[in-house]
Amino acid sequence: MGFGLRDPSAAMRDFLLQAGGCAVVDGGLATELEANGADLNDPLWSAKCLFSSPDLIRKVHLDYLMAGANIIISASYQATIQGFEARGFSKKESEALLFKSVEIACEARGIFQSSYRNGSYTVGADEASSRKQPILVAASIGSYGAFLADGSEYSGHYGKEVTLQTLKDFHRRRVQVLAESGADLIAFETIPNKIEAQAYVELLKENNIRIPSWFSFCSKDENDVVSGDSVLECTAIANACQNVVAVGINCTPPRYIQGLILTIRKATDKPIVVYPNSGERYDADRKEWVASTSICEEDFVSYVSKWSEAGASLIGGCCRTTPKTIRAIAEALSTVRSAPQSTSACD
């Protein structure tokens, strides 16, 4: 199913209704690719697999769908025309790889729906129960810092020479290509500052992009994104854009999510999407995740009902989360949906 040419906000509301009020977003892609044997020690990170091992990407998408995901996110987070060209691909080949990221996700959806009776799949402890599993494909767009591959996506500090126009010029063609790729929406992910959010809003308007999108910020606490910009200000920028059908947070420690949902709700009535990481910290120098305040999967999932009650209606995981995590989230949300007299956002 897709949003088509309908009113984006109405389409998202209908999608959430079909999903039972809360939708499940998939989990970490790159770390799951590594768990399946991929070597991602590369500036292209997960995008490397688009030409080295596309079948592995498809497998991970399917693993998340089988775990209960309603939304799978393409392997284009670090896929940029500039990055591919630096590896020797032509502009045409680079654009084809962007298209391929969405094609792989759509193929996985088709395989899953064909194998599991057009989207009906059983999740949760009670194998006798099943729910309709509407599925959307989101085309991922990572920040400028993700292209730099220097960890600045987790700080938002690009330097004074990087202006609003710099960011618009960098992202423009990728946004145009992914808007025409067949994805149901664009996921602008791990946005670290308000200037990049503003760049995305202006690009959507200037290029007459019709595909819906969500804006997902990376935060350092319950009030500010990683650059120090106010979450309220960042949310207001996203809220003012008609294309944006959800606003939220990703790749942020779980302990901050409930407070962030409450902060975001002050600036928008759009659906809120949250998909935190495991709580570990990314070391840009070592280029690896290191233990800090990480939590076990059981503790991670224990937050889900609280996030739903606080107002989140799209919930998943980011870096270092797995299909096991997503299955547990799907089961937790199933419980929330069926709870009598619930006050959660899933009602």
Side-chain angles (χ1 to χ4, degrees), residues 172-193:
R172 179 175 289 105
R173 185 55 187 155
R174 178 164 61 152
V175 171
Q176 292 171 336
V177 170
L178 289 175
E180 299 297 327
S181 66
D184 298 300
L185 70 156
I186 296 176
F188 293 98
E189 302 188 280
T190 324
I191 306 172
N193 51 44

PDB file of all heavy atoms in Angstrom, residues 172-193:
ATOM      1  N   ARG A 172      20.030  18.294  -2.785  1.00  0.00           N
ATOM      2  CA  ARG A 172      18.955  18.505  -3.762  1.00  0.00           C
ATOM      3  C   ARG A 172      18.717  17.303  -4.674  1.00  0.00           C
ATOM      4  O   ARG A 172      17.597  16.791  -4.771  1.00  0.00           O
ATOM      5  CB  ARG A 172      19.230  19.753  -4.599  1.00  0.00           C
ATOM      6  CG  ARG A 172      18.140  20.004  -5.667  1.00  0.00           C
ATOM      7  CD  ARG A 172      18.345  21.305  -6.403  1.00  0.00           C
ATOM      8  NE  ARG A 172      18.059  22.462  -5.539  1.00  0.00           N
ATOM      9  CZ  ARG A 172      18.988  23.249  -5.005  1.00  0.00           C
ATOM     10  NH1 ARG A 172      20.267  23.002  -5.244  1.00  0.00           N
ATOM     11  NH2 ARG A 172      18.647  24.262  -4.241  1.00  0.00           N
ATOM     12  N   ARG A 173      19.742  16.846  -5.364  1.00  0.00           N
ATOM     13  CA  ARG A 173      19.513  15.804  -6.358  1.00  0.00           C
ATOM     14  C   ARG A 173      19.099  14.482  -5.704  1.00  0.00           C
ATOM     15  O   ARG A 173      18.250  13.757  -6.226  1.00  0.00           O
ATOM     16  CB  ARG A 173      20.761  15.604  -7.228  1.00  0.00           C
ATOM     17  CG  ARG A 173      20.556  14.600  -8.374  1.00  0.00           C
ATOM     18  CD  ARG A 173      19.362  14.980  -9.252  1.00  0.00           C
ATOM     19  NE  ARG A 173      19.054  13.953 -10.255  1.00  0.00           N
ATOM     20  CZ  ARG A 173      17.863  13.784 -10.803  1.00  0.00           C
ATOM     21  NH1 ARG A 173      16.858  14.571 -10.472  1.00  0.00           N
ATOM     22  NH2 ARG A 173      17.682  12.833 -11.695  1.00  0.00           N
ATOM     23  N   ARG A 174      19.668  14.179  -4.531  1.00  0.00           N
ATOM     24  CA  ARG A 174      19.279  12.948  -3.850  1.00  0.00           C
ATOM     25  C   ARG A 174      17.809  12.983  -3.462  1.00  0.00           C
ATOM     26  O   ARG A 174      17.090  11.989  -3.616  1.00  0.00           O
ATOM     27  CB  ARG A 174      20.152  12.719  -2.615  1.00  0.00           C
ATOM     28  CG  ARG A 174      19.764  11.467  -1.839  1.00  0.00           C
ATOM     29  CD  ARG A 174      20.800  10.991  -0.851  1.00  0.00           C
ATOM     30  NE  ARG A 174      21.115  11.947   0.187  1.00  0.00           N
ATOM     31  CZ  ARG A 174      21.538  11.605   1.402  1.00  0.00           C
ATOM     32  NH1 ARG A 174      21.686  10.328   1.710  1.00  0.00           N
ATOM     33  NH2 ARG A 174      21.832  12.514   2.289  1.00  0.00           N
ATOM     34  N   VAL A 175      17.342  14.118  -2.981  1.00  0.00           N
ATOM     35  CA  VAL A 175      15.926  14.251  -2.630  1.00  0.00           C
ATOM     36  C   VAL A 175      15.058  14.050  -3.870  1.00  0.00           C
ATOM     37  O   VAL A 175      14.044  13.334  -3.834  1.00  0.00           O
ATOM     38  CB  VAL A 175      15.649  15.624  -1.991  1.00  0.00           C
ATOM     39  CG1 VAL A 175      14.145  15.862  -1.835  1.00  0.00           C
ATOM     40  CG2 VAL A 175      16.339  15.736  -0.632  1.00  0.00           C
ATOM     41  N   GLN A 176      15.463  14.659  -4.982  1.00  0.00           N
ATOM     42  CA  GLN A 176      14.693  14.527  -6.217  1.00  0.00           C
ATOM     43  C   GLN A 176      14.619  13.072  -6.669  1.00  0.00           C
ATOM     44  O   GLN A 176      13.550  12.578  -7.058  1.00  0.00           O
ATOM     45  CB  GLN A 176      15.325  15.384  -7.310  1.00  0.00           C
ATOM     46  CG  GLN A 176      15.222  16.888  -7.078  1.00  0.00           C
ATOM     47  CD  GLN A 176      16.038  17.689  -8.076  1.00  0.00           C
ATOM     48  OE1 GLN A 176      17.010  17.181  -8.655  1.00  0.00           O
ATOM     49  NE2 GLN A 176      15.670  18.941  -8.273  1.00  0.00           N
ATOM     50  N   VAL A 177      15.748  12.380  -6.630  1.00  0.00           N
ATOM     51  CA  VAL A 177      15.785  10.983  -7.086  1.00  0.00           C
ATOM     52  C   VAL A 177      14.925  10.101  -6.191  1.00  0.00           C
ATOM     53  O   VAL A 177      14.097   9.314  -6.683  1.00  0.00           O
ATOM     54  CB  VAL A 177      17.239  10.462  -7.117  1.00  0.00           C
ATOM     55  CG1 VAL A 177      17.261   8.948  -7.347  1.00  0.00           C
ATOM     56  CG2 VAL A 177      18.033  11.175  -8.209  1.00  0.00           C
ATOM     57  N   LEU A 178      15.092  10.209  -4.891  1.00  0.00           N
ATOM     58  CA  LEU A 178      14.349   9.340  -3.978  1.00  0.00           C
ATOM     59  C   LEU A 178      12.855   9.658  -3.973  1.00  0.00           C
ATOM     60  O   LEU A 178      12.028   8.779  -3.716  1.00  0.00           O
ATOM     61  CB  LEU A 178      14.932   9.419  -2.577  1.00  0.00           C
ATOM     62  CG  LEU A 178      16.312   8.757  -2.429  1.00  0.00           C
ATOM     63  CD1 LEU A 178      16.887   8.989  -1.040  1.00  0.00           C
ATOM     64  CD2 LEU A 178      16.234   7.255  -2.732  1.00  0.00           C
ATOM     65  N   ALA A 179      12.504  10.904  -4.287  1.00  0.00           N
ATOM     66  CA  ALA A 179      11.091  11.265  -4.384  1.00  0.00           C
ATOM     67  C   ALA A 179      10.411  10.561  -5.553  1.00  0.00           C
ATOM     68  O   ALA A 179       9.196  10.367  -5.549  1.00  0.00           O
ATOM     69  CB  ALA A 179      10.937  12.776  -4.528  1.00  0.00           C
ATOM     70  N   GLU A 180      11.194  10.150  -6.543  1.00  0.00           N
ATOM     71  CA  GLU A 180      10.662   9.477  -7.727  1.00  0.00           C
ATOM     72  C   GLU A 180      10.980   7.985  -7.736  1.00  0.00           C
ATOM     73  O   GLU A 180      10.793   7.315  -8.748  1.00  0.00           O
ATOM     74  CB  GLU A 180      11.248  10.122  -8.990  1.00  0.00           C
ATOM     75  CG  GLU A 180      10.918  11.600  -9.161  1.00  0.00           C
ATOM     76  CD  GLU A 180       9.428  11.853  -9.312  1.00  0.00           C
ATOM     77  OE1 GLU A 180       8.746  10.970  -9.891  1.00  0.00           O
ATOM     78  OE2 GLU A 180       8.943  12.907  -8.859  1.00  0.00           O
ATOM     79  N   SER A 181      11.442   7.465  -6.610  1.00  0.00           N
ATOM     80  CA  SER A 181      11.951   6.098  -6.570  1.00  0.00           C
ATOM     81  C   SER A 181      10.884   5.034  -6.379  1.00  0.00           C
ATOM     82  O   SER A 181      11.164   3.836  -6.510  1.00  0.00           O
ATOM     83  CB  SER A 181      12.967   5.977  -5.428  1.00  0.00           C
ATOM     84  OG  SER A 181      12.309   6.156  -4.178  1.00  0.00           O
ATOM     85  N   GLY A 182       9.669   5.450  -6.021  1.00  0.00           N
ATOM     86  CA  GLY A 182       8.624   4.478  -5.717  1.00  0.00           C
ATOM     87  C   GLY A 182       8.425   4.256  -4.234  1.00  0.00           C
ATOM     88  O   GLY A 182       7.565   3.459  -3.835  1.00  0.00           O
ATOM     89  N   ALA A 183       9.198   4.954  -3.412  1.00  0.00           N
ATOM     90  CA  ALA A 183       9.009   4.863  -1.962  1.00  0.00           C
ATOM     91  C   ALA A 183       7.683   5.510  -1.581  1.00  0.00           C
ATOM     92  O   ALA A 183       7.162   6.375  -2.295  1.00  0.00           O
ATOM     93  CB  ALA A 183      10.155   5.555  -1.239  1.00  0.00           C
ATOM     94  N   ASP A 184       7.144   5.111  -0.443  1.00  0.00           N
ATOM     95  CA  ASP A 184       5.890   5.689   0.041  1.00  0.00           C
ATOM     96  C   ASP A 184       6.110   7.013   0.754  1.00  0.00           C
ATOM     97  O   ASP A 184       5.215   7.860   0.795  1.00  0.00           O
ATOM     98  CB  ASP A 184       5.205   4.709   1.000  1.00  0.00           C
ATOM     99  CG  ASP A 184       4.843   3.403   0.321  1.00  0.00           C
ATOM    100  OD1 ASP A 184       4.070   3.446  -0.662  1.00  0.00           O
ATOM    101  OD2 ASP A 184       5.327   2.346   0.751  1.00  0.00           O
ATOM    102  N   LEU A 185       7.279   7.173   1.333  1.00  0.00           N
ATOM    103  CA  LEU A 185       7.618   8.428   1.995  1.00  0.00           C
ATOM    104  C   LEU A 185       9.126   8.540   2.112  1.00  0.00           C
ATOM    105  O   LEU A 185       9.858   7.565   1.887  1.00  0.00           O
ATOM    106  CB  LEU A 185       6.978   8.531   3.379  1.00  0.00           C
ATOM    107  CG  LEU A 185       7.506   7.628   4.496  1.00  0.00           C
ATOM    108  CD1 LEU A 185       7.204   8.251   5.856  1.00  0.00           C
ATOM    109  CD2 LEU A 185       6.873   6.249   4.428  1.00  0.00           C
ATOM    110  N   ILE A 186       9.600   9.734   2.434  1.00  0.00           N
ATOM    111  CA  ILE A 186      11.020   9.966   2.680  1.00  0.00           C
ATOM    112  C   ILE A 186      11.230  10.128   4.177  1.00  0.00           C
ATOM    113  O   ILE A 186      10.500  10.868   4.831  1.00  0.00           O
ATOM    114  CB  ILE A 186      11.525  11.226   1.948  1.00  0.00           C
ATOM    115  CG1 ILE A 186      11.420  11.049   0.428  1.00  0.00           C
ATOM    116  CG2 ILE A 186      12.977  11.529   2.338  1.00  0.00           C
ATOM    117  CD1 ILE A 186      11.818  12.300  -0.359  1.00  0.00           C
ATOM    118  N   ALA A 187      12.227   9.422   4.702  1.00  0.00           N
ATOM    119  CA  ALA A 187      12.589   9.555   6.112  1.00  0.00           C
ATOM    120  C   ALA A 187      13.872  10.374   6.209  1.00  0.00           C
ATOM    121  O   ALA A 187      14.953   9.878   5.890  1.00  0.00           O
ATOM    122  CB  ALA A 187      12.781   8.186   6.746  1.00  0.00           C
ATOM    123  N   PHE A 188      13.734  11.641   6.598  1.00  0.00           N
ATOM    124  CA  PHE A 188      14.907  12.478   6.857  1.00  0.00           C
ATOM    125  C   PHE A 188      15.364  12.138   8.271  1.00  0.00           C
ATOM    126  O   PHE A 188      14.694  12.489   9.245  1.00  0.00           O
ATOM    127  CB  PHE A 188      14.563  13.961   6.727  1.00  0.00           C
ATOM    128  CG  PHE A 188      14.216  14.382   5.321  1.00  0.00           C
ATOM    129  CD1 PHE A 188      12.885  14.498   4.915  1.00  0.00           C
ATOM    130  CD2 PHE A 188      15.214  14.679   4.399  1.00  0.00           C
ATOM    131  CE1 PHE A 188      12.558  14.894   3.623  1.00  0.00           C
ATOM    132  CE2 PHE A 188      14.903  15.079   3.093  1.00  0.00           C
ATOM    133  CZ  PHE A 188      13.582  15.190   2.707  1.00  0.00           C
ATOM    134  N   GLU A 189      16.498  11.456   8.375  1.00  0.00           N
ATOM    135  CA  GLU A 189      16.875  10.843   9.642  1.00  0.00           C
ATOM    136  C   GLU A 189      18.095  11.482  10.308  1.00  0.00           C
ATOM    137  O   GLU A 189      18.958  12.050   9.645  1.00  0.00           O
ATOM    138  CB  GLU A 189      17.208   9.367   9.410  1.00  0.00           C
ATOM    139  CG  GLU A 189      16.079   8.552   8.802  1.00  0.00           C
ATOM    140  CD  GLU A 189      16.420   7.084   8.785  1.00  0.00           C
ATOM    141  OE1 GLU A 189      17.168   6.654   7.879  1.00  0.00           O
ATOM    142  OE2 GLU A 189      15.954   6.360   9.686  1.00  0.00           O
ATOM    143  N   THR A 190      18.145  11.321  11.642  1.00  0.00           N
ATOM    144  CA  THR A 190      19.299  11.736  12.441  1.00  0.00           C
ATOM    145  C   THR A 190      19.662  13.193  12.148  1.00  0.00           C
ATOM    146  O   THR A 190      20.839  13.543  12.027  1.00  0.00           O
ATOM    147  CB  THR A 190      20.509  10.805  12.205  1.00  0.00           C
ATOM    148  OG1 THR A 190      20.059   9.462  12.008  1.00  0.00           O
ATOM    149  CG2 THR A 190      21.464  10.823  13.394  1.00  0.00           C
ATOM    150  N   ILE A 191      18.657  14.046  12.009  1.00  0.00           N
ATOM    151  CA  ILE A 191      18.906  15.468  11.737  1.00  0.00           C
ATOM    152  C   ILE A 191      19.518  16.074  12.993  1.00  0.00           C
ATOM    153  O   ILE A 191      18.930  16.034  14.069  1.00  0.00           O
ATOM    154  CB  ILE A 191      17.594  16.194  11.382  1.00  0.00           C
ATOM    155  CG1 ILE A 191      16.870  15.481  10.233  1.00  0.00           C
ATOM    156  CG2 ILE A 191      17.877  17.647  11.010  1.00  0.00           C
ATOM    157  CD1 ILE A 191      15.470  16.013   9.957  1.00  0.00           C
ATOM    158  N   PRO A 192      20.718  16.663  12.882  1.00  0.00           N
ATOM    159  CA  PRO A 192      21.427  17.089  14.091  1.00  0.00           C
ATOM    160  C   PRO A 192      21.277  18.555  14.455  1.00  0.00           C
ATOM    161  O   PRO A 192      21.748  18.975  15.513  1.00  0.00           O
ATOM    162  CB  PRO A 192      22.884  16.787  13.733  1.00  0.00           C
ATOM    163  CG  PRO A 192      22.947  17.085  12.261  1.00  0.00           C
ATOM    164  CD  PRO A 192      21.595  16.696  11.698  1.00  0.00           C
ATOM    165  N   ASN A 193      20.665  19.343  13.569  1.00  0.00           N
ATOM    166  CA  ASN A 193      20.567  20.790  13.822  1.00  0.00           C
ATOM    167  C   ASN A 193      19.390  21.372  13.041  1.00  0.00           C
ATOM    168  O   ASN A 193      18.833  20.737  12.148  1.00  0.00           O
ATOM    169  CB  ASN A 193      21.877  21.497  13.434  1.00  0.00           C
ATOM    170  CG  ASN A 193      22.335  21.133  12.030  1.00  0.00           C
ATOM    171  OD1 ASN A 193      21.548  21.083  11.097  1.00  0.00           O
ATOM    172  ND2 ASN A 193      23.622  20.858  11.866  1.00  0.00           N
TER     173      ASN A 193
END
